[in-house]
């Protein structure tokens, strides 16, 4: 008698075999269907890409479309397999992959249908509410402001913009009034405008190649041609924050074009142009509404304040929206006594006309409310950076860690930043949310602050005599130099003759300053003729530049206490940085951040702990340097390389720096090779390789990084394989792999993650999640699919 159990087993085997044969038989028709669909989609995708470019839509939309429609590699492998009939048993699995890709495409189409309906309704809403042909946000305009007490004035402005007649309209009001939210082209002018830079910005907005203009006249002529080319629809050019004396600059942007308007926003009216709209200070009732909004005063508050007290504080703010916002933020959730103290402070000041000086007095009261001395000092550091420019949070963390003894991971720094946000002193934007909040990764976070608040920070730093200031901020324009500026060895004939007669060397008296923080900003025509300064107490040096050639100051070698060096180029082209060797004698230098410069050959930086390179050229430093990298930076703990497009491979010399704990190579789109000896970095805890689109594989030795806690390979779109022994990373806590569209399978060793004693998070997209489905029974393995948002507001006033 046959064994019943054996019969069941045999039956299952027969059924599975039958199913495999059936799927294998259907492999051919499934492949043909995929090929036909791909051929039909290819021209449509190309057309959509063209429209996407013409409309200035985000690149991410196309990347998502390509992700779900580009199956050429899968089809190629399937075709190759179909020619090998002896691999008949593999047909079933390959068919499953084709079906899986098709199902993912169907889900994407369902989502697109919903998005199309939303976009259509959005267009209809805009057409109904505003007949002005406008494109928001993509061309430098900031986020649309709230209009409290200004609705009537704003509506009048829109009507005037639609009228024929004057081509230049001026909108004037107090700093912080929220004069305009932007329409088509939005450019911030500020106090020291550079015409060629402004025109280059407009060329970038129009997605046209940026030229090196011969002079201002050449720039304006080319701009006129550009606007005539794109001027098929009405054009609105918004020149924001135009300062007195810049009328001639505005005149240069006037062109004889149909439906072309210039809107000038300024704190003052210009007699040369018709002042369209004077944004007066807010009346009392709307001022109270704005104040209560930012102070979070509503019926759900823990206590209701006396209306007379609120009225008195609001009245002292003189109707300035910015002052109302900052004062309200400083009083939010504060005890009653704080409110009384604020009223007393505001009323003790003489009430002047509502100009910037008076506003600074008003804002000073809120600054005095900061009880933590570090918070106040940290806010004053915001004045170290140019007007209308983003401030990288990582730069602030570097400065504050050394100046105020905060932790290196930025925990305390972010607490201070969040408190300043709560008090409405600053805003923070994240350009991309690529990591979870618990990772403390802030490379994509930037601080923005109003120019009046920046003026407040600078004003506070000038409270002491020049030589005694703790924070010395120097702004050099053109060839103009301050009276104290002394060029080294600059002596007169009489001094030289006297030296010869007496046999003594007469030296110029050096300018000795006591500043712990030294900041020097220069423009595009600065010639690097530095003065002979003696900043021997400076611990932080911030250099803001715009020129194509730039040398470090000679006095840098005297800065024996220097701990932090920040060099940022705000010009359009990378700057050639020279005299880098002066840093070799600075034994206390721990942190260097370079942005948009060609990094020269390295020198010996034996105590350097952190090196950050953003948008730099690295070839001279990494490939052409005579000094071994491991000898130059033997104690490096953190290396961050971001948007360095000439980086193709990381030199193997870095693998000898065993002190490295954090290695971040991100957005380097030509980067294609990690050193094979990466596993020698025995102390490495964090490895980020996100958005390196040419990176095809990760060395097997990565599995030897026994202390690795975080591995980020997000958006490495050509990465097709993970290290075979990746499951040996038993300290791994987070694995980011969103957007790894070419990764089709996981190595067998991932089963070893079942031995983890702690929770391990895999942060991925839907496609990546499918790779981990067969490991869903591992209790400590958690799969997360967060929604990724890209913020375009940061583009306002920022040039990359």
């Amino acid at each position: 008698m046959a064994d019943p159990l054996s019969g069941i087993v045999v039956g299952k085997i027969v059924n599975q075999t039958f199913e495999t044969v059936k799927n294998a038989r259907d492999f051919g028709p499934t492949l043909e269907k995929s090929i036909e669909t791909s051929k039909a989609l290819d021209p449509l995708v190309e057309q959509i890409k063209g429209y996407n470019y013409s409309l200035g839509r985000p690149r991410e939309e196309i990347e998502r479309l390509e992700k779900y429609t580009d199956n050429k590699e899968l089809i190629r492998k399937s075709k190759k397999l179909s020619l090998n009939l002896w691999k008949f048993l593999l047909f079933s699995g390959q068919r499953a992959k084709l079906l899986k890709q098709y199902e993912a495409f169907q889900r994407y189409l369902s989502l697109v249908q919903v998005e199309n309906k939303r976009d259509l309704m959005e267009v209809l809403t805009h057409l109904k509410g505003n007949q002005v042909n406008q494109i928001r946000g993509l061309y430098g305009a900031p986020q649309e402001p709230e209009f409290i007490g200004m609705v009537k004035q704003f509506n009048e402005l829109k009507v005037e913009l639609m009228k024929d007649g004057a081509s230049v309209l001026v909108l004037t009001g107090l700093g912080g009034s929220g004069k305009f939210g932007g329409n088509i082209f939005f450019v911030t002018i500020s106090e020291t405008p550079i015409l060629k830079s402004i025109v280059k910005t407009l060329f970038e907005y129009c997605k046209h190649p940026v030229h090196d203009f011969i002079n201002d006249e050449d720039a304006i002529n080319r701009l006129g041609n550009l606007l005539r080319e794109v001027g098929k629809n009405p054009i609105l050019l918004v020149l924001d924050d135009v300062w007195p004396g810049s009328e001639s600059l505005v005149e240069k942007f006037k062109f004889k074009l149909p439906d072309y308007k210039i809107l000038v926003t300024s704190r003052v009216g210009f007699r040369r142009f018709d002042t369209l709209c004077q944004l007066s200070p807010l009346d009392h009732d709307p001022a109270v509404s704005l104040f209560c909004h930012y102070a979070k005063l509503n019926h759900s508050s823990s206590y209701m304040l006396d209306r007379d007290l609120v009225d008195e504080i609001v009245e002292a703010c003189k109707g300035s929206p910015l002052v109302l916002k900052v004062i309200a933020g400083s009083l939010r959730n504060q005890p009653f006594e704080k409110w009384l103290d604020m009223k007393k402070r505001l009323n003790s000041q003489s009430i002047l006309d509502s100009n910037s000086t008076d506003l600074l007095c008003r804002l000073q009261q809120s600054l005095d409310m900061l009880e933590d001395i570090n918070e106040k000092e940290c806010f004053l550091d915001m004045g170290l950076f140019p007007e209308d420019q983003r401030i990288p949070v990582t730069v602030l963390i570097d400065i504050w860690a050394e100046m105020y003894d905060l932790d290196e991971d930025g925990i305390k720094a972010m607490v201070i930043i969040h408190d300043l946000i709560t008090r409405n002193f600053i805003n923070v934007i994240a350009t991309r949310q690529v990591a979870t909040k618990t990772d403390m990764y802030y490379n994509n976070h930037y601080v923005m602050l109003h120019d009046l608040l920046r003026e407040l920070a600078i004003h506070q730093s000038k409270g002491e005599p020049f030589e005694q200031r703790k924070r010395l901020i120097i702004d050099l324009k053109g060839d103009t130099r301050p009276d104290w500026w002394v060029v080294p060895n600059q002596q007169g004939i009489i001094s030289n003759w006297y030296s010869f007669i007496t046999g003594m060397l007469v030296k110029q008296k050096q300018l000795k300053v006591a500043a712990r923080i030294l900041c020097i900003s220069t423009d595009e025509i600065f010639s690097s003729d530095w003065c002979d300064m003696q900043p021997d107490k400076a611990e932080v040096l911030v250099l803001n530049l715009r020129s194509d050639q730039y040398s470090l100051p000679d006095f840098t070698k005297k800065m024996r206490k220097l701990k932090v060096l920040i060099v940022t180029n705000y010009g359009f082209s990378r700057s050639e940085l020279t005299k880098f060797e002066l840093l070799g004698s600075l034994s206390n230098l721990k942190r260097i951040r370079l942005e948009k410069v060609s990094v020269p050959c390295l020198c010996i930086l034996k105590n350097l702990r952190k090196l950050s390179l953003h948008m730099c050229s690295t070839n001279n430093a990494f490939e052409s340097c005579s000094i071994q990298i491991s000898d130059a930076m033997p104690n490096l703990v953190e290396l961050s390389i971001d948007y360095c497009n000439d980086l193709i491979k990381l030199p193997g010399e870095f693998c000898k720096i065993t002190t490295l704990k954090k290695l971040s190579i991100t957005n380097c789109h030509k980067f294609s090779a990690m050193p094979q000896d990466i596993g020698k970095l025995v102390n490495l805890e964090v490895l980020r390789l996100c958005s390196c689109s040419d990176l095809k594989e990760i060395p097997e030795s990565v599995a030897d990084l026994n202390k690795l806690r975080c591995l980020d390979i997000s958006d490495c779109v050509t990465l097709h394989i993970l290290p075979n022994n990746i499951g040996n990373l038993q300290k791994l806590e987070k694995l980011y792999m969103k957007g790894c569209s070419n990764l089709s399978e996981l190595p067998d060793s991932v089963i070893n993650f079942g031995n983890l004693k702690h929770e391990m998070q895999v942060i991925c997209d839907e496609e990546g999640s499918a790779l981990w489905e067969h490991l869903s029974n591992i209790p400590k393995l958690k799969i997360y699919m967060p929604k990724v948002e890209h913020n375009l507001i940061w583009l306002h006033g920022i040039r990359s």
Side-chain angles (χ1 to χ4, degrees):
M1 184 176 179
D3 183 358
L5 182 59
S6 299
I8 293 174
V9 172
V10 171
K12 283 190 174 181
I13 293 174
V14 171
N15 287 336
Q16 289 177 359
T17 303
F18 178 80
E19 189 67 26
T20 300
V21 172
K22 180 178 180 297
N23 287 332
R25 185 191 62 194
D26 294 336
F27 172 60
T30 302
L31 175 58
E32 290 178 4
K33 183 178 179 181
S34 297
I35 294 172
E36 291 174 0
T37 303
S38 179
K39 288 182 177 178
L41 282 174
D42 283 348
L44 296 175
V45 171
E46 289 302 315
Q47 288 178 356
I48 293 174
K49 287 166 68 175
Y51 292 135
N52 191 83
Y53 178 84
S54 300
L55 293 172
R57 300 292 296 170
R59 171 64 187 167
E60 289 76 17
E61 294 181 2
I62 288 299
E63 290 175 347
R64 191 174 57 155
L65 173 63
E66 291 176 333
K67 172 184 173 182
Y68 288 103
T69 58
D70 187 6
N71 60 349
K72 293 182 178 60
E73 182 63 17
L74 181 59
I75 290 176
R76 185 189 67 78
K77 291 181 179 179
S78 299
K79 282 183 176 180
K80 185 177 179 181
L81 182 63
S82 67
L83 298 176
N84 297 300
L85 297 179
W86 57 276
K87 293 185 178 181
F88 179 82
L89 294 178
L90 298 178
F91 287 6
S92 177
Q94 194 69 11
R95 177 176 182 265
K97 290 182 180 180
L98 290 170
L99 290 175
K100 180 181 175 182
Q101 193 277 338
Y102 183 76
E103 289 169 359
F105 177 59
Q106 290 295 324
R107 289 194 298 271
Y108 169 71
L109 286 181
S110 299
L111 177 62
V112 168
Q113 288 177 355
V114 176
E115 290 178 339
N116 286 344
K117 185 173 182 180
R118 178 205 62 191
D119 293 343
L120 178 59
M121 295 177 70
E122 184 179 354
V123 169
L124 292 174
T125 301
H126 281 303
L127 289 175
K128 181 178 180 181
N130 185 4
Q131 295 301 315
V132 179
N133 179 22
Q134 58 176 296
I135 303 174
R136 286 195 175 276
L138 297 180
Y139 297 124
Q143 197 173 22
E144 184 173 350
E146 296 179 80
F147 290 96
I148 298 179
M150 300 182 184
V151 176
K152 180 181 178 182
Q153 292 166 311
F154 183 65
N155 287 335
E156 290 175 352
L157 171 63
K158 289 197 292 184
V159 170
E160 290 296 329
L161 287 171
M162 295 299 295
K163 290 181 178 179
D164 295 329
S167 60
V168 180
L169 308 173
V170 180
L171 181 63
T172 181
L174 290 171
S177 297
K179 293 178 280 294
F180 199 79
N183 263 332
I184 294 183
F185 300 126
F186 190 105
V187 183
T188 301
I189 302 301
S190 300
E191 185 178 6
T192 56
I194 301 172
L195 188 140
K196 288 190 287 185
S197 296
I198 295 170
V199 175
K200 285 182 179 180
T201 301
L202 292 171
F203 267 80
E204 283 189 343
Y205 289 163
C206 294
K207 303 284 193 304
H208 276 241
V210 178
H211 301 275
D212 288 328
F213 305 115
I214 300 173
N215 49 36
D216 286 355
E217 183 180 0
D218 179 48
I220 287 297
N221 290 337
R222 289 177 181 265
L223 176 61
N225 294 334
L226 174 67
L227 293 179
R228 291 182 184 93
E229 182 180 338
V230 301
K232 297 176 181 178
N233 296 317
I235 297 175
L236 175 62
L237 173 62
V238 182
L239 304 178
D240 183 48
D241 194 19
V242 178
W243 283 57
S246 296
E247 294 95 328
S248 59
L249 179 75
V250 176
E251 287 280 4
K252 292 179 180 179
F253 287 95
K254 293 173 66 175
F255 299 100
K256 293 182 179 180
L257 295 172
D259 298 323
Y260 170 63
K261 299 277 186 178
I262 301 175
L263 177 63
V264 175
T265 74
S266 176
R267 301 182 202 177
V268 299
F270 294 112
R271 293 183 179 180
R272 187 180 302 187
F273 311 112
D274 293 329
T275 299
L276 167 70
C277 183
Q278 171 71 45
L279 294 182
S280 305
L282 292 178
D283 292 334
H284 186 72
D285 287 342
V288 170
S289 298
L290 183 65
F291 181 85
C292 292
H293 171 74
Y294 285 110
K296 303 296 183 186
L297 293 180
N298 50 49
H299 296 296
S300 62
S301 301
S302 57
Y303 61 90
M304 296 303 295
L305 288 165
D306 177 30
R307 176 61 189 256
D308 291 339
L309 176 60
V310 174
D311 285 345
E312 287 188 63
I313 293 176
V314 169
E315 188 175 347
C317 293
K318 308 297 290 181
S320 165
L322 179 62
V323 177
L324 287 162
K325 178 180 178 180
V326 173
I327 297 292
S330 67
L331 292 174
R332 185 188 304 166
N333 298 325
Q334 295 297 315
F336 179 70
E337 291 78 9
K338 289 278 188 181
W339 288 71
L340 289 176
D341 183 56
M342 176 59 78
K343 184 190 80 168
K344 182 178 178 181
R345 286 171 179 268
L346 290 171
N347 289 334
S348 66
Q349 298 290 323
S350 60
I351 305 300
L352 306 174
D353 293 334
S354 293
N355 54 31
S356 294
T357 303
D358 183 55
L359 292 182
L360 292 174
C361 293
R362 305 283 136 207
L363 296 173
Q364 175 63 45
Q365 312 308 317
S366 286
L367 192 58
D368 291 341
M369 297 278 286
L370 295 176
E371 296 175 350
D372 187 338
I373 185 64
N374 276 352
E375 272 193 21
K376 184 174 181 179
E377 292 297 326
C378 289
F379 170 74
L380 297 184
D381 289 336
M382 305 292 177
L384 301 173
F385 306 94
E387 184 181 9
D388 295 317
Q389 296 291 345
R390 59 182 185 177
I391 305 173
V393 166
T394 50
V395 169
L396 298 176
I397 291 174
D398 285 341
I399 294 174
W400 297 348
E402 300 300 335
M403 285 296 299
Y404 314 121
D405 238 1
L406 304 188
D407 61 283
E408 293 189 354
D409 289 329
I411 299 174
K412 292 182 180 179
M414 290 307 296
V415 170
I416 291 174
I417 285 175
H418 286 303
D419 195 44
L420 292 175
I421 294 172
T422 301
R423 296 173 183 271
N424 292 316
F425 279 109
I426 63 173
N427 293 315
V428 170
I429 55 174
T431 59
R432 293 179 67 193
Q433 202 72 19
V434 298
T436 61
K437 293 181 180 178
T438 57
D439 275 350
M440 293 174 291
Y441 178 68
Y442 306 113
N443 274 26
N444 299 300
H445 290 68
Y446 299 89
V447 167
M448 304 289 286
L449 77 161
H450 193 279
D451 52 1
L452 273 180
L453 291 170
R454 176 179 173 272
E455 286 181 34
L456 172 64
I458 295 174
H459 178 77
Q460 288 294 301
S461 298
K462 294 180 178 178
E464 299 162 326
F466 184 86
E467 293 87 350
Q468 300 174 18
R469 292 174 189 169
K470 174 183 177 181
R471 189 180 288 97
L472 182 57
I473 301 174
I474 302 171
D475 193 7
L476 302 176
K477 297 182 177 66
D479 295 326
T480 304
R481 299 290 182 268
D483 295 336
W484 50 262
W485 192 270
V486 179
V487 177
N489 300 322
Q490 182 181 3
Q491 300 182 46
I493 296 175
I494 296 177
S495 296
N496 288 328
W497 177 251
Y498 181 74
S499 299
F500 175 76
I501 294 296
T502 62
M504 299 175 61
L505 178 63
V506 178
K507 296 182 179 180
Q508 282 280 14
K509 183 180 179 181
Q510 294 178 331
L511 178 67
K512 191 170 184 178
V513 294
R516 293 183 65 198
I517 301 178
L518 176 61
C519 171
I520 304 177
S521 298
T522 55
D523 61 13
E524 61 181 3
I525 62 173
F526 179 70
S527 57
S528 292
D529 56 334
W530 292 104
C531 71
D532 198 9
M533 188 184 291
Q534 191 172 345
D536 49 8
K537 294 185 179 180
E539 298 173 47
V540 175
L541 176 60
V542 178
L543 300 174
N544 303 315
L545 59 121
R546 292 181 180 274
S547 54
D548 294 340
Q549 303 284 333
Y550 189 88
S551 69
L552 293 179
D554 288 330
F555 57 72
T556 306
K557 60 186 176 184
K558 305 174 186 176
M559 304 175 73
R560 303 298 181 187
K561 293 186 178 181
L562 188 67
K563 298 178 181 178
V564 182
L565 172 65
I566 309 294
V567 181
T568 307
N569 174 20
Y570 293 95
F572 274 90
S573 305
R574 285 190 183 86
S575 181
E576 295 289 336
L577 186 63
T578 58
K579 294 191 177 182
F580 199 75
E581 65 276 5
L582 296 175
L583 304 176
S585 60
L586 306 181
S587 58
N588 288 308
L589 187 58
K590 297 179 182 178
R591 298 164 183 261
I592 296 178
R593 186 184 191 274
L594 307 178
E595 178 170 345
K596 216 174 194 179
V597 301
S598 292
V599 185
C601 287
L602 298 175
C603 59
I604 301 297
L605 302 164
K606 62 180 181 179
N607 291 320
L608 190 70
R609 292 177 56 83
K610 181 179 179 181
L611 175 64
S612 303
L613 306 177
H614 182 75
M615 298 177 66
C616 290
S617 174
T618 63
N619 184 62
N620 287 337
F622 292 170
E623 302 295 336
S624 306
C625 190
S626 59
I627 301 175
Q628 296 293 321
I629 293 173
S630 57
D631 293 335
M633 302 177 290
N635 295 300
L636 196 66
V637 175
E638 182 174 353
L639 175 63
S640 176
I641 305 175
D642 191 33
Y643 284 103
C644 295
N645 289 332
D646 72 329
L647 182 68
I648 297 176
K649 62 180 180 179
L650 187 70
E653 272 288 311
F654 278 104
C655 298
K656 297 179 182 180
I657 308 177
T658 56
T659 53
L660 264 179
K661 291 185 178 181
K662 296 181 180 179
L663 175 58
S664 176
I665 304 174
T666 55
N667 302 294
C668 298
H669 299 299
K670 294 182 181 179
F671 180 68
S672 59
M674 290 285 292
Q676 294 299 317
D677 291 337
I678 190 74
K680 292 182 179 180
L681 297 176
V682 294
N683 291 302
L684 198 67
E685 299 176 5
V686 176
L687 177 59
R688 294 190 185 278
L689 303 170
C690 60
S691 297
C692 293
S693 53
D694 270 4
L695 186 64
K696 295 179 176 60
E697 61 181 20
I698 300 174
E700 290 292 333
S701 65
V702 164
D704 297 331
L705 300 174
N706 295 325
K707 293 186 179 181
L708 196 67
R709 296 182 292 102
C710 177
L711 175 61
D712 188 349
I713 54 173
S714 301
D715 297 311
C716 291
V717 293
T718 59
L719 186 68
H720 66 278
I721 190 171
L722 294 180
N724 286 326
N725 293 321
I726 194 172
N728 293 350
L729 297 174
Q730 291 296 296
K731 292 289 182 69
L732 196 63
E733 298 173 3
K734 290 182 180 177
L735 172 60
Y736 292 89
M737 51 180 295
K738 173 195 68 67
C740 295
S741 53
N742 209 30
L743 195 63
S744 58
E745 58 184 2
L746 300 176
D748 295 337
S749 67
V750 295
I751 195 67
N752 294 339
F753 289 136
N755 301 326
L756 294 175
K757 296 180 180 180
H758 60 270
E759 180 178 289
M760 174 182 160
Q761 300 178 2
V762 177
I763 297 93
C764 57
D765 48 23
E766 186 176 355
E767 188 174 353
S769 175
L771 298 175
W772 295 87
E773 286 179 349
H774 67 289
L775 298 173
S776 58
N777 59 335
I778 297 180
K780 295 293 185 179
L781 184 64
K782 305 297 180 183
I783 310 298
Y784 293 97
M785 294 185 289
K787 181 180 180 182
V788 179
E789 296 181 356
H790 297 271
N791 189 345
L792 296 177
I793 299 170
W794 72 289
L795 292 171
H796 168 53
I798 296 167
R799 304 181 183 96
S800 59

